Amino acid sequence: MTTLRTSRSGRAGQYVALLCYLVFLAFPFLWLISTAFKPPRELGSLHPTWIPNDPTLANFRQAFDEQPLLQAAGNSLIAALSAALIAVVIATPMAYAMARNRNRLSAAATGWVVVSQAFPFVLVIIPLFLILKNLHLINTLFGLIMVYVVWSLPFALWMLVGYVRAVPRELEEAASVDGAGKLRTLVSVTAPLLAPGIVATALFAFITAWNEFFFALVLLKTPEKQTLPVVLTHFLGAEGVADLGPLAAAAFLATMPSLVIFAIIQKRITGGMLTGAVKS
Amino acid sequence: MRRVAAAAAVCALLLTGCSADDGADSGRIRLRFQSLAWQDESVDANKDLVKEWNTSHPDVQVEYVQGSWDSIHDQLLTSFEGGEAPDIIHDASDDLADFAYGGYLADLSGLLPERLTSDIPRQSWETATFAKGVYGVPFLQEPRVLIANKKILDSSGVRIPTAGKPWSWEEFRQVTKTLTEKMGEGKYGVAWPLKEPVSATLNLSLSTGGQVFRRGADGKVEVRFDAADQVVPRTINAQVNTDGSASRTTLGSGGSDTLPGFFGGKYAMVPLGFSYRQQIVQQAPKGFEWQVLPAPAGAGGLTQGVSPQTLSVAEDSPHKKEAAEFIDFMLQPRNMVRLAKGDWMLPTGTKALADPALHTEKEGWSTGAALARDLRSAPAQSVRGYPEWKDKVATPALQEYYSGAIDAAELENRLVNDGNLVLSRYQR
């Protein structure tokens, strides 16, 4: 009974800690939603409320009137989805090679992957800009997607290497005995087992690209090409002054696609993980 | 394999239409104008003016591109380095020095018409003049003013200052003490939003004859912190730490953060930029009465340092003449008034500044307009090494001084001794 009581109190403590963490995580988002629906006079109140006293959609109307949010969201979606897809397609066979062939080359490649994550954006942006300019890819979503793929590839690779190593070699050896070649084994045997890892990696690449601001700011010149994070800064003035209502409304809308995609994909990750667990 | 093929097909589909579109028309000049306008009325005014220009100039079409104050320096630097800068550039004068010295901006001296050069006062041109070249046209500026709760001020019986008879800094200190005593517990005569204390302190110190940066005969700049430089910081320090007439909590706040307390009657006055009036009009509760007062004056009168908004032309632009013509169009007096009203700021042009629309009592326009002739180039904007001095030395030192953590002697020691070490590296 003592053990049971301890276990119950311990579990209660875990739930309290989890609840605290969830509240901590949810606070900024809930405040963002609250702000998005507040009229200007409530934004300047000394005693702000969670639920707006006089909720309004005016901030959303103003945000859409002032900035091409839908077009920007479309650009962001194209860039982020493409970057995620390409990164995964490239990273999967690379990760397989690095995980299965442990030699000096793969060790060096792993080291380079780790080091490449340490470069700050500002260090690479000017050479990158010049390269893309020579390729006539400035102010194109294609150029931006290439940058996003290159930028997210090292970490995607790193993630996938771990997932590949978790897949038992014996399954591949069995496929080989059955006559499957390397590619066939990768596509038909390893890739399905890697599904949760691939989905998680794609999600990482998508969110990285969806939220990215600096490259998009520098590489995209015309309004019709700009992505959502860049357009959101148009609600900011000098010295940090902001058009708070429309900014909150636009930011709220900007979080929606990644939340929806995450909600859909989350089941896939969980399902995939369970499937993998049973097989191994 | 089918899945891989499908993924490749989706990928190809997504990339369709991602290619470049330079939109070049043969025989027609195309200029890109990157504007930093962000407030609704200001964006509308800019877009309308571009539209009017394009209608009347079919051979020189201007494309409006929205920029952002938040990241303008990095974005322009990259664009300049890559040879992809916009033809016409909106920025602030304190951001121009590096670009001007770096050869990225065109010298506009011979490109602007006499109408425009003579319309803007010399002190405004000085803000965009570097090494005798003019690298931007200053067109909008804003003084720092005191936004006051009218009811609290009227009921306190203190003298209400005007541009003709402003408060001295000593009188201002006394007024805030009086207001704090009358307002009661937990309320303050003034709330200083000093998240960025350096430019506010330096710009207001011009009113007491403060310079902080002194340029010697050899052209080298040194930091000094003489009596005239110390009046403003000492006043703020005394209000916070001796009199208790200034809120300690707002020292780390931005201007917008102080507004709820101001609307709630917690503070009688807030020193803010002139353009904050727009937020006050939008956010103040119904029936809230407010007024605009001039910042206190000293030995230098109402003089203040400002960094006006500017329009520049990229050195790489193949159409500098047309770009300058567009700037001339944008800054015609009536257009300058439209831009000023859109941004809730003051125009630099004397003809625009004389427009009756900018002299109404309503929303404090007349007080601001009365201050315009005393606005000068911000003391720091032509000093190389200023950003480092500001970030590494002056910001922490002033923050500690205003909060009472260090005394005036230590503040002077840091600003001058540490500061000159920083500046010397830029002046070898």
Side-chain angles (χ1 to χ4, degrees), chain A residues 41 66 133 218 221 234 237 241, chain B residues 38 65-66 78-79 82 279 284:
Chain A
R41 292 191 199 289
E66 283 181 23
K133 189 187 169 201
V218 169
K221 301 291 173 193
H234 297 164
V241 184
Chain B
W38 67 282
V65 180
Q66 183 79 56
T78 317
S79 302
Q279 286 200 27

Side-chain angles (χ1 to χ4, degrees), chain A residues 203-217:
Chain A
L203 193 64
F204 154 78
F206 176 85
I207 290 174
T208 304
W210 178 263
N211 292 331
E212 201 284 323
F213 167 71
F214 190 59
F215 286 134
L217 172 81

